[in-house]
């Protein structure tokens, strides 16, 4: 595995919280939306065990917002996705696949409806800003599309409700899943949502003034002391256990939503115009040739792949690739997402994974790894 230093040039944008992330000893980082994102503090397993018991604060500024505001804001957002956005309440978040005219996934953001004609698209790692600006300009839409000064700070883990109640009062504990409120923390207005990229409970605090980043971090940190708070980051083991997909790894522009199960978040044929209508109708009629499955590889840890490991069936035919992989203490085995040809996707199917350390057997499991 490569182990070179990362050069922190201006192209790798800084985050309002990163000074605290570095001070807390982040040991590995990656780049996401042209910004740094921590990936390990102590070790993947230590970070994971702590996340499942206590509470962590995560710098997820790299979940950049694309703000869409104006008369045509709803029409533009509708255009990008097969999910019905008209039913989204103000104060609600929707996990939404953005799909292009060929049925390819452009991104899988969380969309927040701030007002009738105002949205934040909280993006995964691809340049949605350019895609939306292009669509809006090409169609002459009455809308403004830009990246606001907004950086999410996540508070995740089973004690996050206790901590957030201390910080923001009982409204925090009462907040429904994927709902948000406006409040003030560390003397600055924030959007507080019950959401986050883990299967544990959690919140995301959207800071709207990057000059207040350290104040916000320090407030969460101080109040979090009784709860054994630590600095953390999205954890590979935990997100695989929770079945959360990662754009760029598990899904790309070459993947359609039916192949990876994102079709469960929409129904075809919504009233508003959307770019992917014809492509998705066709794919849904014709069916897909491959699908994302959960593949459990029992035993010792398989080394992390730099690109992909190939997967073959009982008769030695290549049937797919592994797209994410991590060793899980809970399952005492390697959890992986793999994209495989349809005949190989039934739970219970045994496949061979060609790792850099030799061949290993894996079994297809259902979405909860059973
Ligand atoms: N929070 C915010 N922005 C984000 C992410 C986030 N942007 C990037 C990335 N994460 C977007 N990807 C996801 C992927 C999965 C989920 C959220 C964002 C998720 N999925 C659940 C699931 O698939 O079971 C539940 C979705 C639902 O029930 O609606 O939570 O984390 N702000």
């Amino acid at each position: 595995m490569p182990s070179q230093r990362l050069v922190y040039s201006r192209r790798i944008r800084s985050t309002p919280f990163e000074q605290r992330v570095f001070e807390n000893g982040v040991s590995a980082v990656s780049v996401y939306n042209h910004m740094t994102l921590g990936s390990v503090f102590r070790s993947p397993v230590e970070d994971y065990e702590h996340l499942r018991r206590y509470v962590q604060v995560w710098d997820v500024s790299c979940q950049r917002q694309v703000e869409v505001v104006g008369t045509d804001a709803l029409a533009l957002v509708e255009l990008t996705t097969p999910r019905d956005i008209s039913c989204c309440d103000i104060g609600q978040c929707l996990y939404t696949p953005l799909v292009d005219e060929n049925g390819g996934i452009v991104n899988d953001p969380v969309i927040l409806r701030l007002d009738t004609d105002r949205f934040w698209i909280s993006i995964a790692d691809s340049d949605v800003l350019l895609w939306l600006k292009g669509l809006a300009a090409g169609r002459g839409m009455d809308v403004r599309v830009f990246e606001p000064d907004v950086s999410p700070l996540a508070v995740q883990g089973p004690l996050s409700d206790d901590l957030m109640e201390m910080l923001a009062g009982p409204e925090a504990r009462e907040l429904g899943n994927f709902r948000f409120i406006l409040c003030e923390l560390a003397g600055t207005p924030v959007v507080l949502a019950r959401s986050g990229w883990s299967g544990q409970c959690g919140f995301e605090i959207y800071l709207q003034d990057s000059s207040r980043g350290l104040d916000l971090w320090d407030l969460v940190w101080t109040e979090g002391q009784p709860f054994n708070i630590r600095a953390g980051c999205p954890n590979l083991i935990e997100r695989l256990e929770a079945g959360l997909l990662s754009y760029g790894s598990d899904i790309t522009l070459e993947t359609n939503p039916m192949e990876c199960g994102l079709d469960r978040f929409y129904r075809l044929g919504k009233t508003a115009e959307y770019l992917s209508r014809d492509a998705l109708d066709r794919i849904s009629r014709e069916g897909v040739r491959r699908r994302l499955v959960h593949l459990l590889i029992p035993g010792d840890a398989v080394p992390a792949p730099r690109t992909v490991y190939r997967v073959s069936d009982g008769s030695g035919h290549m049937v797919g690739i592994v797209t994410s992989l991590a060793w899980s203490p809970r399952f005492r085995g390697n959890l992986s997402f793999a994209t495989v040809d349809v005949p190989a996707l039934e739970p219970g199917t045994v496949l061979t994974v060609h790792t850099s350390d030799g061949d290993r057997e894996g079994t297809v499991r259902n979405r909860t790894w059973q």
Side-chain angles (χ1 to χ4, degrees):
M1 285 299 277
S3 62
Q4 284 75 18
R5 278 189 314 124
L6 182 69
V7 176
Y8 288 90
S9 72
R10 249 174 72 78
R11 286 186 299 100
I12 313 279
R13 300 184 288 176
S14 61
T15 90
F17 314 112
E18 68 180 25
Q19 190 184 327
R20 295 289 181 264
V21 173
F22 296 137
E23 287 166 0
N24 278 282
V26 70
S27 61
V29 299
S30 72
V31 175
Y32 192 105
N33 284 323
H34 317 277
M35 267 189 167
T36 53
L37 169 64
S39 64
V40 181
F41 279 80
R42 299 182 185 200
S43 77
V45 171
E46 264 188 85
D47 294 355
Y48 160 91
E49 305 280 11
H50 181 270
L51 171 62
R52 286 173 49 84
R53 286 183 66 172
Y54 303 104
V55 60
Q56 295 184 349
V57 56
W58 298 357
D59 175 4
V60 283
S61 303
C62 67
Q63 296 171 0
R64 301 313 292 165
Q65 309 306 301
V66 174
E67 180 160 337
V68 180
V69 59
T71 316
D72 290 332
L74 177 61
L76 176 58
V77 177
E78 290 276 33
L79 196 58
T80 63
T81 175
R83 187 157 192 176
D84 179 8
I85 304 299
S86 67
C87 67
C88 184
D89 294 332
I90 296 169
Q92 189 179 0
C93 317
L94 287 184
Y95 178 46
T96 305
L98 306 190
V99 187
D100 77 2
E101 72 285 4
N102 302 313
I105 300 172
V106 171
N107 200 284
D108 67 329
V110 175
I111 296 182
L112 290 79
R113 190 170 201 170
L114 296 156
D115 211 335
T116 313
D117 291 334
R118 183 171 174 234
F119 297 86
W120 279 348
I121 306 181
S122 183
I123 62 174
D125 189 18
S126 73
D127 295 313
V128 172
L129 179 66
L130 304 180
W131 172 241
L132 261 74
K133 282 174 73 75
L135 287 173
R139 296 201 169 216
M141 291 177 123
D142 180 13
V143 70
R144 210 155 71 81
V145 181
F146 64 102
E147 186 183 298
D149 176 10
V150 172
S151 299
L153 184 68
V155 176
Q156 301 284 301
L159 304 187
S160 57
D161 268 75
D162 299 328
L163 170 54
M164 205 47 80
E165 184 170 20
M166 301 265 288
L167 285 165
E171 295 77 20
R173 196 186 285 280
E174 287 153 19
L175 198 55
N177 196 34
F178 271 49
R179 295 278 165 171
F180 67 83
I181 50 173
L182 311 178
C183 61
E184 207 180 281
L185 287 179
T188 189
V190 298
V191 166
L192 175 64
R194 187 185 284 280
S195 55
W197 213 53
S198 83
Q200 310 304 312
C201 314
F203 296 86
E204 291 179 301
I205 308 168
Y206 293 74
L207 173 73
Q208 301 179 73
D209 174 355
S210 48
S211 74
R212 306 303 301 274
L214 300 184
D215 298 330
L216 179 61
W217 176 290
D218 291 343
L219 175 72
V220 173
W221 189 255
T222 306
E223 295 291 329
Q225 289 313 306
F227 305 107
N228 192 20
I229 194 168
R230 276 191 200 165
C233 51
N235 179 275
L236 180 62
I237 307 167
E238 205 279 337
R239 77 116 175 143
L240 280 159
E241 287 185 358
L244 300 174
L245 303 180
S246 178
Y247 191 82
S249 292
D250 307 309
I251 46 177
T252 70
L253 206 50
E254 316 310 320
T255 318
N256 71 56
M258 282 115 180
E259 290 170 336
C260 58
L262 285 183
D263 51 338
R264 71 184 187 280
F265 293 107
Y266 62 80
R267 281 210 312 273
L268 288 173
K270 72 177 183 184
T271 318
E273 184 189 0
Y274 58 105
L275 283 174
S276 53
R277 184 191 299 268
D278 293 347
L280 294 180
D281 279 349
R282 180 179 48 75
I283 295 164
S284 126
R285 260 195 328 272
E286 293 176 357
V288 297
R289 278 190 296 273
R290 51 179 198 177
R291 252 184 222 281
L292 186 131
V293 294
H294 291 196
L295 190 63
L296 177 68
I297 308 165
D300 294 347
V302 168
R306 171 68 184 94
T307 50
V308 293
Y309 289 146
R310 296 195 305 161
V311 177
S312 61
D313 67 10
S315 44
H317 294 120
M318 290 302 157
V319 293
I321 55 168
V322 167
T323 57
S324 287
L325 178 131
W327 190 82
S328 155
R330 224 173 106 204
F331 291 90
R332 306 212 66 75
N334 302 271
L335 306 183
S336 72
F337 295 153
T339 302
V340 299
D341 295 344
V342 160
L345 60 77
E346 277 309 305
T349 307
V350 177
L351 299 170
T352 305
V353 181
H354 303 278
T355 79
S356 57
D357 219 16
D359 290 356
R360 296 281 294 269
E361 232 171 48
T363 310
V364 175
R365 294 287 179 100
N366 69 17
R367 288 200 58 237
T368 56
W369 297 102
Q370 300 308 304

